[in-house]
């Protein structure tokens, strides 16, 4: 109801205004001042700190003031989100513990359900949560601490990972988030840190039987997690660690696994029997022999290393840089990164403080950043749905679109996660899929999705002046305005289309326009 | 200021200042105009289980559960012997006849001098052919295309990648098409053709804002999409499908399409394909069973079918199968292997390859010859392989490459080109 009123208000306003509001809509004739004005900031925060404006959002944020909106978003816990919560309650897997997920779904024809519900929840939350900044940041952490539901038990445990690791800690302390990732079965499984719990296969038994007596089998060491812990999660590539450190960290983390199998609780488990108890030298510090009288204390080695990594200067810098690259610019301002890193260090990794240091900094609002970032497929899909006021009854077709666009949720194979720069996504090969999405949304031809906007714009078809139709569509879908060439071509398309098709054609073109690919 | 791509094409030779490379050079290649197909296996394939030192007891000692047996033992198939020392993983059986016909050649212990074992970095360094350098913007294949660009290129299809996202080796200033699985242009392209068409807005005067540059970048990408998909479709329709039977996997589908483009005589010089998922940290499996065997089977069948089609068409094709690194000699505690350094490449060719032999080098498997006492050594710098492709297959002058600093960076002990592998025949 609120949406209808707000949109009707927009249309009324648009129809009443004279055509030459060119200045505010046409960025190439804007003031070109170094920082953005209030209206531009309202749009900027909706595009960067939310997944794009829904109909009426821009007016709402302008009315309350962009700064107040940002402040509100920085404490997501205080924002009610009832509609979404009710919707998500229908997805049973989202609320289950790891053990319950296994008990309930580890059987034929059920195994796909947890991952299915997980990706649905991610999409629906990004689409309709009131806590937009939280969703934007969760997308960041999802890729930073990448796990793929295509790997082993992660298929079943994904919902618990998203809830207990990411959602619980994204607005907490980085050290807590990091420790939670290190001890969660999903990460231990994904990066092979857990020793296989499967029985030795017949094949292996055959080889072991025929192996020579002098044969020495390497003691369970798998470096995968240890490497990515430093390279991807904390310090960054070669930023203060060596190959020796990788091996030593791997040794310290031996025994870090989770209990699995019949009657197991699928929680973190430190199997001291397989922990390497010998002394180690890691990142310049010496770790003594684990006392055999208290083998369980060996877990503290890994914990100490993780604490140290969370506090490391290199980590503060790496996380600050990555967040700035995600939120601000593909090539973030060096000084801003330094300032944010300092906040990270001084607050001991207080993430809300770090976020605040970015989103309330004047440099975030520099004109160079405005509408300059190429949207990832996820950002494009969600912002398209929000722009047209779509409601989603069934997200299956949308998930397939994400796959066609190259970014299926929770299915990135490598631990690097999905990239967020234009360089990674702006290929001729993906433009076709983006245009196809715009076409199908405009046609209302995406299964399971109801699009309101083109119907609401139907009335505009009756307007004689194609330029006014274009203006209305631009106001509705591209409130930052379009360049003169785009505008001229939209008007040409409006003239060429029969009156009853005009709105639909223009909405399609707007969603596929160059301006809509940017945020 | 970034050069507009279309301007770049027009000014190619002049911009480099060293004169345009003779466009007739390609005709001099043995077997006629050559096509290079690169297949990048992402994740670091376990080269030691692909070309197996089946007589070395250390191999079996180091890999108690995942070693490939020296001969058939019941269910477990043994290696296919290439010579008295090395054998091919049995799952690559379709490639064995090619070896015997001189159309396949492994290159052993190839790698990068840079010590990274990070997927991301190792892949970057290999695809830019500049280990340790992070400043280069274009991949080595893109640099080759740019260096040899000439007017009228936008009417040709010199390079293609058959997947949505371009591999880094083909990224750069020179526009290369990444063809989505759906193929040529269709309704989306027709709908947006006008909106993305060339116009006055592009490159016009006015404040260069992030917004304007962003928009121009998107428009350029859109224009490239439309133009290249049209070209692609035209050329594809000119070429017939070959008679070979391909397995139903993405790699095979891609190779089949490349086969059609080759048969269309479209002037395709470079095609690139990725195959993901070779990062076998656990449960790699040994000879007839397990993940590695399955993937090798698909790889072998796809390549054999493609080579049959290419040979039938009388085309001059070289395929280079590579990976960012090899894996540890010892298996780990989870019946897999971890990231290593030296690995093997496979080269295949219809006429330009001196196949039926093994290249590179081998020092055995004792700890003292291994990198960090764990990984295969790097006896051949991968850039030597690339250099040879450029000079022997594409007839680029070695002095030209050196002058252009085609392979920049400090990570080498000898100038690239000084230690040729000699796996390709000399041009006439």
């Amino acid at each position: 109801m609120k949406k209808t009123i707000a949109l009707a208000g927009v249309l009324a306003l648009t129809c009443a205004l004279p055509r030459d509001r060119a200045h505010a809509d046409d960025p190439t004739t804007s003031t070109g001042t170094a920082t953005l004005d209030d209206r531009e900031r309202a749009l900027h925060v909706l595009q960067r700190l939310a997944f794009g404006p829904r109909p009426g959002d821009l007016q709402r944020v302008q009315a309350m003031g962009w700064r107040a909106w940002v402040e509100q978003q920085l404490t997501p816990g205080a924002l009610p989100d009832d509609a979404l919560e009710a919707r998500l309650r229908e997805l049973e897997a989202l609320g289950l513990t790891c053990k319950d997920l296994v008990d309930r779904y580890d059987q034929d024809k059920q195994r796909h359900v947890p991952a299915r519900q997980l990706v649905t929840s991610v999409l629906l939350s990004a689409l309709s949560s009131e806590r937009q900044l939280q969703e934007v940041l969760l997308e960041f952490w999802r890729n930073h601490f990448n796990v793929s539901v295509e790997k082993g038990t992660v298929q079943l445990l994904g919902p618990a990972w998203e809830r207990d690791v990411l959602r619980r800690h994204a607005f907490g302390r980085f050290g807590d988030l990091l420790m939670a990732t290190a001890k969660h079965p999903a990460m231990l499984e994904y990066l092979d840190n857990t020793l296989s719990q499967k029985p030795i296969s017949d094949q292996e038994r055959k080889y072991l039987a025929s192996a020579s007596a002098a044969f020495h089998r390497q003691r369970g060491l798998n470096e995968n997690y240890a490497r990515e812990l430093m390279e991807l999660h904390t310090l960054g590539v070669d930023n203060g660690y060596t190959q020796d450190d990788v091996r030593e960290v791997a040794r310290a983390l031996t025994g870090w696994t989770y209990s699995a199998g019949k009657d197991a609780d699928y929680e973190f488990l430190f199997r001291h029997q397989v922990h390497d108890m010998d002394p180690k030298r890691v990142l310049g510090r010496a770790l003594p022999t684990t006392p055999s009288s208290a083998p369980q204390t060996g877990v503290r080695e890994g914990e100490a290393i993780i604490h140290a990594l969370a506090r490391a200067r290199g980590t503060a810098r790496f996380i600050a840089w990555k967040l700035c690259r995600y939120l601000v610019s593909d090539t973030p301002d060096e000084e801003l990164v330094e300032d944010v890193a300092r906040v990270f260090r001084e607050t001991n990794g207080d993430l809300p403080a770090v976020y605040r240091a970015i989103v309330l900094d004047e440099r975030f609002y520099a004109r160079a950043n405005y509408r300059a970032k190429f949207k990832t497929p996820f950002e494009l899909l969600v912002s398209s749905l929000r722009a047209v006021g779509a409601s989603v009854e069934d997200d299956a077709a949308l998930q397939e679109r994400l796959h066609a666009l190259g970014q299926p949720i929770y299915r990135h194979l490598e631990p690097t996660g999905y990239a967020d720069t234009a360089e990674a996504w702006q290929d001729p090969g993906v433009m076709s899929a983006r245009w196809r999405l715009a076409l199908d949304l405009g046609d209302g031809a995406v299964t399971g999705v109801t699009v309101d906007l083109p119907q609401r714009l139907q009335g505009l078809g009756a307007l004689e002046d194609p330029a006014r139709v274009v203006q209305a569509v631009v106001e509705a879908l591209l409130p930052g305005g379009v360049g003169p060439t785009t505008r001229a071509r939209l008007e040409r398309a409006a003239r060429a289309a029969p009156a009853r098709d005009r709105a639909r054609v223009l909405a399609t073109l707007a969603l596929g326009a160059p301006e809509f690919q940017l945020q | 200021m970034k050069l507009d791509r279309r301007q770049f094409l027009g000014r190619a030779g002049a911009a480099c200042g060293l004169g345009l490379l003779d466009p007739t050079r390609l005709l001099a290649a043995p077997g006629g105009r050559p096509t290079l197909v690169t297949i990048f296996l992402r994740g670091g394939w376990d080269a030691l289980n692909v070309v197996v030192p089946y007589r070395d007891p250390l191999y079996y000692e180091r890999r108690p559960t995942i070693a490939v047996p020296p001969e058939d033992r019941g269910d477990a198939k043994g290696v296919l012997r290439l010579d008295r020392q090395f054998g091919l993983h049995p799952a690559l059986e379709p490639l064995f006849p090619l070896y015997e016909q001189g159309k396949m050649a492994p290159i052993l212990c190839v790698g990068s001098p840079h010590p990274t074992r990070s997927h991301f970095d190792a892949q970057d360094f290999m695809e830019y052919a500049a280990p340790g350098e992070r400043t280069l913007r274009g991949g080595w294949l893109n640099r080759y295309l740019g260096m040899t660009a000439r007017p009228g290129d936008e009417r040709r299809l010199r390079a293609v990648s058959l997947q949505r996202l371009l591999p880094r080796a083909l990224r750069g200033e020179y526009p290369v098409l990444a063809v989505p699985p759906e193929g040529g242009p269709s309704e989306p392209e027709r709908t947006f053709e006008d909106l993305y068409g060339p116009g006055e807005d592009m490159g016009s005067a006015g404040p260069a804002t992030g917004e304007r540059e962003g928009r121009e970048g998107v428009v350029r990408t859109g224009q490239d999409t439309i133009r290249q998909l049209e070209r692609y479709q035209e050329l594809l329709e000119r070429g017939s499908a070959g008679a070979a039977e391909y397995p139903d996997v993405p790699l095979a589908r891609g190779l089949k399409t490349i086969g059609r483009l080759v048969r269309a005589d479209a002037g395709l010089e470079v095609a690139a394909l990725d195959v993901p998922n070779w990062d076998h940290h656990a449960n790699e499996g040994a000879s007839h069973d397990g993940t590695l065997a399955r993937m090798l089977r698909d790889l072998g069948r796809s390549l054999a079918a493609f080579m049959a089609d290419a040979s039938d068409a009388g085309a001059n094709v070289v395929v280079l199968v590579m990976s960012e690194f090899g894996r540890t000699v010892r298996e780990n505690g989870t019946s897999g292997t971890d990231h290593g350094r030296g690995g093997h490449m496979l080269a295949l060719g219809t006429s330009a390859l001196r196949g039926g032999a093994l290249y590179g080098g081998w020092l055995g498997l004792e700890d003292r010859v291994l990198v960090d006492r764990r990984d295969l050594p790097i006896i051949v710098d991968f850039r030597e392989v690339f250099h040879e492709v450029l000079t022997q297959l594409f007839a680029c002058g070695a002095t030209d490459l050196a002058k252009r600093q085609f392979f920049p960076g400090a990570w080498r002990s000898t100038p690239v080109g000084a230690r040729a592998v000699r796996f390709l025949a000399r041009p006439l």
Side-chain angles (χ1 to χ4, degrees):
Chain A
M1 202 43 195
K2 243 182 351 175
K3 274 194 215 172
T4 321
I5 292 170
L7 184 60
V10 169
L11 294 178
L13 201 62
T14 319
C15 297
L17 285 170
R19 261 206 66 203
D20 48 85
R21 280 195 72 231
H23 153 72
D25 301 315
D26 186 346
T28 57
T29 64
S30 68
T31 56
T33 50
T35 55
L36 309 174
D37 66 34
D38 282 342
R39 181 179 184 272
E40 290 169 327
R41 291 185 188 221
L43 182 61
H44 189 57
V45 301
L46 279 168
Q47 287 181 330
R48 297 299 189 89
L49 309 181
F51 283 100
R54 296 165 304 188
D57 273 350
L58 184 56
Q59 288 69 20
R60 255 194 300 280
V61 172
Q62 275 187 277
M64 78 185 289
W66 60 269
R67 189 182 288 274
W69 183 85
V70 174
E71 287 283 1
Q72 215 180 45
Q73 291 287 322
L74 281 166
T75 40
L79 274 170
D81 213 5
D82 300 334
L84 176 66
E85 279 165 14
R87 182 85 190 266
L88 294 180
R89 268 195 287 278
E90 296 166 23
L91 300 172
E92 197 204 330
L94 300 184
L96 299 181
T97 62
C98 286
K99 175 175 169 52
D100 289 342
L101 284 164
V102 174
D103 284 347
R104 172 92 177 67
Y105 295 104
D106 192 13
Q107 48 192 293
D108 283 342
K109 300 207 205 305
Q110 291 293 304
R111 274 186 202 95
H112 67 286
V113 174
R116 191 70 201 75
Q117 292 190 353
L118 172 63
V119 304
T120 297
S121 74
V122 169
L123 181 57
L124 290 182
S125 301
L127 177 58
S128 59
S129 175
E130 292 303 322
R131 303 169 182 172
Q132 281 288 296
L133 178 59
Q134 174 179 270
E135 294 306 315
V136 166
L137 289 165
L138 280 167
E139 175 65 5
F140 173 82
W141 292 116
R142 228 172 262 133
N143 284 310
H144 184 77
F145 288 113
N146 188 79
V147 298
S148 167
V149 293
E150 303 199 337
K151 181 83 181 268
T153 53
V154 187
Q155 184 190 33
L156 298 168
L157 305 177
W161 160 269
E162 162 98 2
R163 180 192 66 233
D164 296 334
V165 174
L166 300 184
R167 287 186 182 267
R168 177 163 302 160
H169 295 289
F171 276 74
R173 206 166 273 293
F174 179 75
D176 295 338
L177 174 58
L178 183 67
M179 187 65 74
T181 65
K183 287 188 172 176
H184 197 274
M187 180 60 81
L188 293 166
E189 174 85 10
Y190 174 64
L191 289 178
D192 302 308
N193 205 70
T194 180
L195 285 183
S196 174
Q197 298 286 334
K198 290 183 230 146
I200 298 176
S201 70
D202 286 340
Q203 170 116 355
E204 287 179 356
R205 198 166 286 131
K206 246 198 273 184
Y207 282 123
L208 286 172
S210 65
S212 71
F215 140 82
H216 169 72
R217 184 183 162 125
Q218 188 174 16
R219 187 174 163 66
L221 202 64
N222 184 307
E223 293 178 2
N224 206 359
Y225 179 60
R227 173 185 310 286
E228 312 304 9
L229 171 65
M230 289 188 285
E231 181 179 322
L232 299 176
H233 298 168
T234 54
L235 297 169
V237 175
D238 292 339
N239 188 21
Y241 64 92
T242 63
Q243 169 58 32
D244 283 345
D245 288 320
V246 172
R247 196 183 54 249
E248 296 295 274
V249 170
R251 290 178 61 209
L253 291 173
T254 47
W256 281 49
T257 179
Y258 64 94
S259 64
K262 196 169 183 310
D263 297 331
D265 66 8
Y266 286 81
E267 299 290 319
F268 174 73
L269 172 67
F270 178 68
R271 283 188 65 209
H272 64 85
Q273 301 90 332
V274 299
H275 176 68
D276 180 335
M277 292 166 63
D278 289 338
K280 305 165 188 68
R281 185 156 195 88
V282 193
L283 299 165
R285 61 166 54 195
L287 295 172
T289 313
T290 307
S292 46
S293 55
Q296 278 294 347
T297 59
V299 72
R300 294 185 198 152
E301 284 181 4
E303 288 173 346
I305 288 170
I306 287 169
H307 285 314
L309 286 171
R311 279 196 309 269
R313 213 182 165 82
T315 298
R317 159 86 212 179
F318 183 56
I319 302 293
W321 172 76
K322 267 193 94 172
L323 277 168
C324 287
R325 192 181 63 177
Y326 177 67
L327 292 172
V328 185
S329 160
D330 283 2
T331 47
D333 182 282
E334 259 305 308
E335 286 173 12
L336 175 60
V337 172
E338 272 309 312
D339 290 344
V340 174
R342 188 179 327 112
V343 170
F344 190 107
R345 287 195 307 272
E346 287 172 358
T347 63
N348 196 14
D350 180 334
L351 290 172
V354 174
Y355 304 149
R356 175 179 289 270
I358 299 173
V359 305
L360 288 176
D361 190 299
E362 268 304 293
R363 285 164 289 191
F364 178 64
Y365 300 94
R367 186 162 295 282
N369 301 328
Y370 183 60
R371 302 178 90 199
K373 210 173 197 301
F374 192 67
K375 289 180 186 171
T376 65
F378 186 71
E379 288 162 353
L380 178 70
L381 185 99
V382 179
S383 64
S384 302
L385 292 169
R386 282 170 66 87
V388 298
S391 57
V392 175
E393 295 84 40
D394 183 335
D395 68 319
L398 289 171
Q399 300 292 352
E400 272 191 39
R401 295 288 168 150
L402 277 172
H403 189 241
L405 289 162
Q407 201 176 13
I409 302 171
Y410 269 112
R411 284 181 196 278
H412 192 263
L413 284 170
E414 284 128 27
T416 41
Y418 291 116
D420 66 39
T421 57
E423 208 253 322
W425 290 112
Q426 202 172 307
D427 272 343
V430 297
M431 287 310 296
S432 304
R434 291 180 178 234
W435 289 334
R436 165 65 63 189
L437 176 68
L439 252 180
D440 290 345
L441 275 177
D443 279 348
V446 180
T447 319
V449 176
T450 310
V451 176
D452 279 342
L453 194 56
Q455 260 120 29
R456 293 221 178 89
L457 287 176
Q458 281 307 318
L460 295 178
L463 291 172
E464 287 303 310
D465 186 357
R468 296 180 81 113
V469 187
V470 168
Q471 180 69 3
V473 171
V474 167
E475 285 272 335
L477 298 179
L478 290 164
V482 294
T485 311
T486 303
R487 180 177 293 276
R489 289 169 187 184
L490 288 175
E491 288 178 5
R492 187 156 68 204
R495 274 191 291 276
R500 60 185 165 78
D501 284 340
R502 214 165 263 160
R504 179 183 58 77
V505 165
L506 288 176
T508 298
L509 291 174
L511 291 176
E515 287 83 351
F516 200 83
Q517 308 302 312
L518 301 161
Q519 63 183 16
Chain B
M1 197 196 61
K2 250 183 100 167
L3 279 177
D4 177 84
R5 281 177 175 176
R6 276 162 293 130
Q7 290 175 297
F8 176 74
L9 287 177
R11 291 159 50 167
C16 297
L18 287 171
L20 201 51
L21 289 189
D22 182 0
T24 59
R25 65 196 155 76
L26 290 181
L27 298 175
R33 281 191 332 197
T35 304
L36 172 73
V37 179
T38 63
I39 298 182
F40 205 113
L41 308 179
R42 307 257 168 216
W45 75 334
D46 187 17
L48 187 58
N49 265 13
V50 175
V51 181
V52 176
Y54 65 90
R55 284 198 206 270
D56 191 339
L58 281 178
Y59 171 71
Y60 296 98
E61 211 175 291
R62 302 282 188 254
R63 297 184 157 207
T65 69
I66 65 170
V68 182
E71 70 244 326
D72 292 358
R73 283 180 188 153
D75 266 348
K77 293 211 150 297
V79 300
L80 301 163
R81 300 183 177 195
L82 298 171
D83 68 6
R84 292 164 61 77
Q85 206 182 353
F86 296 101
L88 202 59
H89 191 296
L92 287 176
E93 195 255 313
L95 299 185
F96 191 74
L98 288 171
Y99 180 82
E100 293 185 309
Q101 293 158 27
K103 292 184 175 172
M104 191 272 270
I107 311 175
L108 306 185
C109 292
V110 183
S112 166
H114 192 284
T116 185
R117 288 187 183 84
S118 146
H119 289 301
F120 200 63
D121 273 358
Q123 287 178 21
D124 264 8
F125 292 158
M126 185 170 256
E127 295 193 81
Y128 291 139
E133 293 289 315
R134 292 180 201 277
T135 53
L136 279 181
R137 284 256 150 264
W140 74 283
L141 291 171
N142 194 287
R143 296 204 297 277
Y144 160 70
L145 292 167
M147 176 176 96
T148 53
R150 51 195 167 111
D153 267 1
E154 60 270 17
R155 289 195 301 278
R156 300 178 193 102
L157 191 72
R158 293 183 65 203
V160 76
S161 174
L162 292 173
Q163 50 203 49
R164 265 175 215 102
L165 294 170
L166 272 184
R168 283 179 284 271
L170 277 174
R171 285 173 183 274
E173 293 275 329
Y174 193 90
V176 178
L177 178 67
V179 180
E182 302 79 59
S186 55
E187 198 188 352
E189 284 72 39
R190 286 193 295 274
T191 308
F192 287 92
E193 208 167 349
D194 188 46
L195 197 60
Y196 280 74
E200 332 77 55
D201 200 29
M202 319 306 160
S204 58
T209 58
E211 184 179 356
R212 221 188 88 210
E213 279 178 14
R215 190 170 68 236
E216 284 174 5
V218 177
V219 170
R220 263 199 300 272
T221 306
Q223 289 172 350
D224 287 343
T225 304
I226 293 168
R227 193 176 45 240
Q228 296 203 27
L229 279 180
E230 284 170 352
R231 215 51 65 223
Y232 167 81
Q233 190 63 28
E234 267 175 46
L235 291 167
L236 196 65
E237 277 158 11
R238 278 217 316 245
S240 54
E245 209 176 293
Y246 290 79
D248 188 19
V249 294
L251 172 67
R253 287 194 283 276
L255 283 172
K256 190 167 179 178
T257 305
I258 294 173
R260 278 182 69 176
L261 291 169
V262 167
R263 292 167 90 88
D265 205 20
L268 183 70
E269 289 170 54
V270 176
L273 287 166
D274 280 350
V275 188
N277 274 342
W278 296 84
D279 191 20
H280 295 123
H281 282 281
N283 295 322
E284 196 178 297
S287 69
H288 71 288
D289 209 353
T291 325
L292 181 64
R294 261 199 330 273
M295 294 176 70
L296 287 176
R297 232 187 318 275
D298 287 340
L299 179 69
R301 288 171 59 202
S302 306
L303 286 172
F306 175 69
M307 290 297 291
D309 274 350
S311 298
D312 269 352
N316 179 12
V317 170
V318 166
V319 181
L320 204 52
V321 180
M322 66 186 84
S323 198
E324 67 262 37
F325 38 59
R327 304 189 76 80
T328 47
V329 169
R330 283 179 173 74
E331 68 179 65
N332 62 23
T334 49
S335 292
T337 46
D338 292 310
H339 303 178
R341 293 290 303 284
H344 305 328
M345 286 193 188
L346 283 187
L348 298 106
T350 48
S351 50
L353 183 72
R354 300 169 65 213
L358 294 136
Y359 294 90
W362 189 253
L363 298 174
L365 293 175
E366 288 181 57
D367 282 355
R368 60 182 176 80
V369 305
L370 301 179
V371 177
D372 294 337
R373 303 174 72 82
R374 55 177 261 168
D375 301 327
L376 289 179
I378 296 117
I379 298 176
V380 176
D381 185 322
F382 73 88
R383 289 169 295 179
E384 293 290 348
V385 178
F386 292 176
H387 187 268
E388 195 158 321
V389 166
L390 293 174
T391 52
Q392 306 297 69
L393 188 65
F394 290 123
C396 296
T399 11
D400 245 324
L401 293 176
K403 264 207 226 129
R404 288 166 192 273
Q405 295 199 296
F406 192 90
F407 293 105
W411 287 86
R412 59 176 179 273
S413 53
T414 53
V416 177
R419 292 194 185 183
V421 181
R422 301 194 204 290
F423 69 106
L424 292 175
R426 293 186 158 286
L428 299 165

